[in-house]
Amino acid sequence: AKASGLGSYCFYDREMGTEVQERVRLLRNLRSAVQHDRLFLCFQPQVNLADGRIVGAEALLRWKAESGELIPPDRFIAIAEYSGLIVDIGQWVLRNACHRQVALAEAGFAGFRMAVNVSLAQFRHPRFIQTLQGAIADTGINPALLELEITESMAMLEPDYITGVIREVKALGVSVAVDDFGTGFSSLSYLQQLDVDRLKIDRGFIRAMQATGGTGGSIAQTVIQLGRNLGLSVIAEGVETVAQADALHQLGCDEAQGFLFARPMESTELAAWLAGLRD
Ligand code: C2E
Ligand code: CA
Ligand code: CA
Ligand code: CA
């Protein structure tokens, strides 16, 4: 029994070893990608469901590896958070997104909102508010057109602390959306205390939504109602079909984002796409 126990430990160790090596390699490559400007942003438009107008976009991080391969954020955000590298990356994302917003405003797209994903490690960083202030001051963005997306699970982790940071963010005139909403378990009273501006219904519930209803649909409906009761705007992510968009509009959802309207695009592509709609 002892021998087999030892054997399984050896096996386990070797497995762990490769996983750790893989992570170390990924982190080393990510650091080098940051240094060599191989990270860039794509922007996915957000649409007002009532009139079809484009109200803004969400900035989404991309990593182009030396090999030319595009590495999706799901593969490196976690390690960037774990290593703390997300603080520098996040600061770069914030500034870059603000610059883009200002460029679009100057190109005549007035009122265009820019949403930026912020992770817990950034939010918890003692200098986060300073960083945010710096990005606003240096880019000249109208803070009312900047929105931070924090996930519901993150907001649940350290309620008191997060509530405090949100208050400071809002004091700068920046708005806050709760991302992946419906996947956590925030209570009504907690949501009220959070003082956010928008709920973003998680893609999973939109995917499960049928024109006829179903569990995904009823959760979407519940979130929309909740938003209305609290006076919050509601946006749906991952909208892929006209049926979903129609149903969401019927249910009173304000905005939507998803492949139905547009895929995430590079900034030059976005500007051309927006100009095409205007003409
Ligand atoms: P998220 O914030 O929930 O972003 C939405 C994701 O859904 C994006 O994936 C987007 O490309 C994808 N998506 C949009 N519309 C559709 C659709 O109609 N159908 C489907 N199937 N997918 C759709 P992406 O760009 O791969 O990002 C994945 C996650 O990585 C994001 O999820 C976010 O949590 C994280 N992330 C991305 N950029 C950043 C960043 O700058 N900072 C941080 N902290 N996290 C980021
Ligand atoms: Ca998001
Ligand atoms: Ca989301
Ligand atoms: Ca999501």
Side-chain angles (χ1 to χ4, degrees), residues 120-185:
L120 183 62
Q122 283 177 271
F123 225 63
R124 289 182 60 187
H125 196 278
R127 293 173 67 90
F128 178 69
I129 293 297
Q130 252 169 292
T131 298
L132 184 58
Q133 245 166 344
I136 294 167
D138 294 347
T139 61
I141 190 174
N142 173 357
L145 295 174
L146 176 62
E147 181 159 283
L148 304 184
E149 293 193 3
I150 61 164
T151 62
E152 186 184 18
S153 55
M154 164 180 157
M156 298 292 297
L157 234 44
E158 288 169 67
D160 292 340
Y161 186 75
I162 297 294
T163 305
V165 180
I166 289 175
R167 198 173 300 129
E168 289 182 83
V169 168
K170 304 266 325 229
L172 295 178
V174 173
S175 59
V176 178
V178 186
D179 203 355
D180 298 343
F181 194 81
T183 57
F185 302 94

Side-chain angles (χ1 to χ4, degrees), residues 144-259:
L145 295 174
L146 176 62
E147 181 159 283
L148 304 184
E149 293 193 3
I150 61 164
T151 62
E152 186 184 18
S153 55
M154 164 180 157
M156 298 292 297
L157 234 44
E158 288 169 67
D160 292 340
Y161 186 75
I162 297 294
T163 305
V165 180
I166 289 175
R167 198 173 300 129
E168 289 182 83
V169 168
K170 304 266 325 229
L172 295 178
V174 173
S175 59
V176 178
V178 186
D179 203 355
D180 298 343
F181 194 81
T183 57
F185 302 94
S186 29
S187 66
L188 204 68
S189 61
Y190 179 47
L191 258 184
Q192 215 151 15
Q193 176 198 326
L194 268 187
D195 190 27
V196 296
D197 302 275
R198 205 181 319 279
L199 302 180
K200 195 165 189 181
I201 311 172
D202 189 65
R203 185 166 82 227
F205 303 119
I206 307 304
R207 197 191 301 122
M209 212 165 100
Q210 312 289 313
T212 50
T215 50
S218 58
I219 290 175
Q221 183 169 13
T222 304
V223 173
I224 293 164
Q225 272 309 319
L226 183 62
R228 296 204 133 192
N229 294 343
L230 291 173
L232 307 177
S233 174
V234 180
I235 182 167
E237 70 174 6
V239 176
E240 294 182 350
T241 67
V242 174
Q244 288 168 339
D246 283 346
L248 286 162
H249 179 50
Q250 294 286 311
L251 292 171
C253 185
D254 303 290
E255 299 175 1
Q257 177 184 340
F259 296 165

Side-chain angles (χ1 to χ4, degrees), residues 29-48:
N29 289 345
L30 182 57
R31 283 218 168 88
S32 145
V34 171
Q35 272 158 14
H36 295 98
D37 288 327
R38 284 197 291 269
L39 297 185
F40 65 99
L41 292 179
C42 278
F43 303 89
Q44 187 177 34
Q46 301 180 329
V47 178
N48 181 319

